[in-house]
Amino acid sequence: MADKITPKEEDYSEWYNDIVKQAGMAEHSAVKGCMVIKPHGYAIWEKMQAELDRMFKETGHVNAYFPLFVPKSLFEAEEKNAEGFAKECAVVTHYRLKADEAHKGKLMVDPDAKLEEELVVRPTSEAIIWNTYKNWIQSYRDLPLLINQWANVVRWEMRTRLFLRTAEFLWQEGHTAHASAQEALEETRKMLDVYADFAERFLAIPVIKGVKTAHERFAGAEETYCIEAMMQDGKALQAGTSHFLGQNFAKAFNVTFANKEGKQEHVWATSWGVSTRLIGALIMAHSDNKGLVLPPKVAPIQVVIVPVYRDLGQLETITIRVKEIVGALKARGIAVKYDDRDNQRPGWKFAEYELQGVPIRLAIGLRDLENGTAELARRDEQTKENVPIEGIDIRIERLLGEMQEAIYQKALSFRESHIYHAHNWNEFEDMIANRPGFVYAHWDGTTATELEIKEKTKATIRCIPLDGADEPGTCVLTGKPSTRKVLFAKAY
RNA sequence: CGGGGCAUAGCGCAGUCCGGUAGCGCACCUGGUUUGGGACCAGGGGGUCGUAGGUUCGAAUCCUGCUGCCCCGACCA
């Protein structure tokens, strides 16, 4: 029982898989590359959704829903975007099955039910959305148009990993239209800030904001912004992207508006998204060898109370007191669960809730009732203390806040201690090969150099950090001049 | 798309080399003792061994085809 989870020092990848499975977050399905998100995993997603949705609405966005299918002719309208996704599109070609005469009880695709035009299962929704927006936008008075959708998308990946990369995944995609490039750029940056704020404040994952290189840019975008997070194995994980699409989609779908002077102009666009991949980020940023560690803000259950008793009479006595505590915690908006199941013993429950990452556990027995105390265990630091029941709701509320901050600080100091600066090629190669983490280095700005570095070291440019200061130097590979360091790492 | 692995009870596995009618741990059900870190004892239920065919008196086991999933690489959020 003690060995449910492979230690991360032994095999990081197995450790990750074990956490996902043992914490009951997701499992592989009968469909290749697709996962079943189980209740505990989905509850975490719902917490993320609720907070993001609130943040989107606070910044003026509204939700809508667009179709799963995109007619091929629409999909290919914006050429760069279409080309970028072409290799991983699922395509619907028929709309009917029929009995297979040759194999009793089996079905076959009805060759007479071939679609006149194939339907692409959306890998992203720009095409169908811009085709719709053109009917919604006539005048500058219709702008900005600020819409988000919560949806599933399909990208036919060769190699998949639960949450990190699956053929189908859940996400949100914001699609906005603006009257000027300036305004669209501001929106792009604003949503990047929303994501960074969400990642740091809510998920307790420190991120680096930056711009993608031309090579890593979203197909069809003029500029792609991103937030990059460091996982506990030192690898980078892109946690969110925000794109300035220029007028590319407006031109492809002929979306124009009359400006104040009555002249027709193409609108300026943005799109931005985060996905269930964030659940993978959450796991890899904070968890330990005992299971999931959840920052209190994302935890579906923040406090679990486990009664310790000898017989049902004692349980009843304890329950009366616990109900008061539950009431007091709920009154403070704390998500609390009282686990009075009689078919599992306390030790079993302790282990189970640690696996699931519940931030605080209270154990209460008769001994505690006599002393007016409870045993309080915090998941992140695995510490236990006896605390007075009197005022425990206040204590817990404060502790949840402290834990949120502590988890963030821990991730931050891990990241800071795994960031290096390479001054020459030997140093760079050595760091990438032998030190898990991020490496800042000068780059000459060309895709050729970027690809050569990737070829040689497997490291890619995660981003050109926004907060980096200009600092003239020479490219770590070619020695050509560079104005600023960029961020290299091996990535998920 | 290449290379490897796996498919036997809800889960994890043994049995396959050497054919004889299926077993272990966990979970589940019943009863009892237990309960402050994954309890114990006794009894019990559950499997057309991925699928189709072949060899054989007899196939989880040998042969052939098929399917699915996982892992490692190339490609990607």
Side-chain angles (χ1 to χ4, degrees):
Chain A
M1 285 299 172
D3 304 309
K4 276 190 168 175
I5 295 176
T6 306
K8 64 180 164 218
E9 298 75 19
E10 195 176 297
D11 186 337
Y12 193 80
S13 172
E14 268 307 299
W15 167 80
Y16 174 81
N17 289 335
D18 287 347
I19 301 240
V20 171
K21 277 180 213 141
Q22 301 299 338
M25 308 230 275
E27 62 187 41
H28 292 285
S29 68
V31 192
K32 185 181 171 65
C34 294
M35 66 178 161
V36 173
I37 302 177
K38 297 177 76 175
H40 191 229
Y42 201 79
I44 292 168
W45 179 237
E46 286 178 312
K47 294 284 284 186
M48 292 185 186
Q49 278 186 302
E51 177 65 6
L52 283 167
D53 206 60
R54 189 190 65 73
M55 294 174 88
F56 296 158
K57 285 175 179 157
E58 205 166 74
T59 43
H61 303 84
V62 292
N63 287 328
Y65 187 79
F66 296 85
L68 171 68
F69 302 118
V70 186
K72 189 166 133 301
S73 60
L74 283 187
F75 185 75
E76 65 200 6
E78 208 294 322
E79 286 180 36
K80 280 188 183 153
N81 187 255
E83 265 175 44
F85 283 108
K87 299 183 303 296
E88 44 192 341
C89 285
V91 184
V92 180
T93 56
H94 292 74
Y95 58 88
R96 192 163 64 210
L97 298 171
K98 66 172 191 178
D100 185 345
E101 305 296 342
H103 303 91
K104 202 171 178 325
K106 304 287 185 197
L107 294 172
M108 61 181 285
V109 173
D110 186 344
D112 294 332
K114 196 169 183 329
L115 288 169
E116 275 180 39
E117 181 177 2
E118 293 92 345
L119 298 173
V120 176
V121 180
R122 62 180 168 215
T124 179
S125 302
E126 273 79 2
I128 190 75
I129 284 179
W130 285 96
N131 182 62
T132 307
Y133 279 3
K134 78 166 176 240
N135 300 321
W136 293 359
I137 298 168
Q138 272 97 45
S139 137
Y140 72 92
R141 294 179 195 277
D142 298 322
L143 299 173
L145 186 58
L146 306 173
I147 292 178
N148 174 65
Q149 94 162 337
W150 290 97
N152 60 337
V153 287
V154 170
R155 295 181 187 176
W156 214 261
E157 300 288 350
M158 289 289 119
R159 192 138 136 51
T160 59
R161 294 198 62 190
L162 294 171
F163 290 118
L164 298 175
R165 182 170 296 105
T166 46
E168 179 194 18
F169 57 94
L170 305 182
W171 76 346
Q172 58 68 217
E173 45 182 326
H175 296 274
T176 69
H178 306 265
S180 71
Q182 175 64 23
E183 194 185 302
L185 260 171
E186 278 167 17
E187 167 79 4
T188 310
R189 292 288 298 267
K190 180 200 284 176
M191 298 321 288
L192 184 75
D193 288 343
V194 164
Y195 286 155
D197 187 38
F198 172 76
E200 299 193 334
R201 195 180 46 75
F202 204 77
L203 304 180
I205 301 175
V207 293
I208 293 172
K209 291 190 270 193
V211 185
K212 285 294 188 190
T213 62
H215 179 251
E216 298 268 337
R217 189 180 294 152
F218 176 71
E222 293 291 312
E223 201 79 273
T224 288
Y225 292 85
C226 63
I227 50 174
E228 295 286 329
M230 187 189 288
M231 303 294 100
Q232 291 182 73
D233 60 351
K235 285 170 81 173
L237 185 136
Q238 180 177 300
T241 51
S242 183
H243 314 291
F244 170 62
L245 302 174
Q247 294 175 307
N248 294 339
F249 285 89
K251 285 176 178 166
F253 291 91
N254 201 26
V255 185
T256 60
F257 69 103
N259 65 19
K260 285 181 185 169
E261 289 76 45
K263 282 188 188 155
Q264 292 294 315
E265 285 185 50
H266 284 105
V267 302
W268 298 82
T270 83
S271 70
W272 26 274
V274 297
S275 72
T276 37
R277 187 178 222 212
L278 286 177
I279 297 173
L282 200 57
I283 295 166
M284 288 198 291
H286 304 311
S287 298
D288 60 25
N289 290 340
K290 287 203 153 177
L292 195 58
V293 172
L294 289 175
K297 285 182 181 172
V298 236
I301 298 169
Q302 295 170 306
V303 179
V304 65
I305 303 177
V306 177
V308 182
Y309 56 93
R310 286 177 192 282
D311 55 59
L312 292 177
Q314 291 190 357
L315 175 59
E316 228 172 283
T317 309
I318 294 165
T319 298
I320 291 167
R321 190 77 178 95
V322 167
K323 287 209 164 144
E324 294 169 17
I325 300 172
V326 167
L329 290 172
K330 280 189 176 164
R332 291 184 181 274
I334 294 166
V336 55
K337 173 178 172 177
Y338 175 42
D339 187 350
D340 61 352
R341 285 177 301 171
D342 189 42
N343 60 344
Q344 297 297 357
R345 297 163 80 255
W348 190 92
K349 293 177 184 175
F350 294 173
E352 191 65 15
Y353 290 111
E354 274 164 11
L355 212 44
Q356 293 180 7
V358 175
I360 293 177
R361 180 188 76 230
L362 293 180
I364 299 180
L366 279 195
R367 207 158 73 204
D368 295 298
L369 291 191
E370 281 163 21
N371 301 335
T373 59
E375 182 192 78
L376 185 157
R378 59 184 280 185
R379 176 64 184 87
D380 61 337
E381 298 186 346
Q382 297 185 52
T383 52
K384 289 194 285 200
E385 57 176 333
N386 288 305
V387 302
I389 290 179
E390 184 66 36
I392 202 168
D393 51 328
I394 299 169
R395 176 187 286 265
I396 285 176
E397 186 177 47
R398 192 176 57 231
L399 182 57
L400 287 171
E402 286 168 17
M403 289 174 69
Q404 181 79 28
E405 180 61 18
I407 292 171
Y408 174 77
Q409 286 301 334
K410 190 177 176 194
L412 182 62
S413 70
F414 178 87
R415 188 188 75 184
E416 294 313 301
S417 62
H418 291 80
I419 289 186
Y420 311 103
H421 290 261
H423 305 92
N424 56 56
W425 183 249
N426 281 344
E427 254 183 45
F428 183 84
E429 259 191 321
D430 176 62
M431 285 170 177
I432 293 293
N434 303 317
R435 295 196 213 174
F438 294 175
V439 177
Y440 280 101
H442 280 288
W443 164 61
D444 65 18
T446 66
T447 299
T449 299
E450 184 178 3
L451 291 174
E452 194 178 336
I453 292 174
K454 183 182 179 185
E455 172 77 19
K456 289 190 150 108
T457 65
K458 302 251 189 228
T460 51
I461 300 178
R462 301 322 306 151
C463 69
I464 303 159
L466 293 181
D467 60 4
D470 282 343
E471 173 196 338
T474 55
C475 175
V476 77
L477 181 72
T478 63
K480 289 179 188 162
S482 150
T483 55
R484 173 185 282 214
K485 283 181 176 172
V486 299
L487 186 64
F488 286 90
K490 288 180 188 163
Y492 276 98

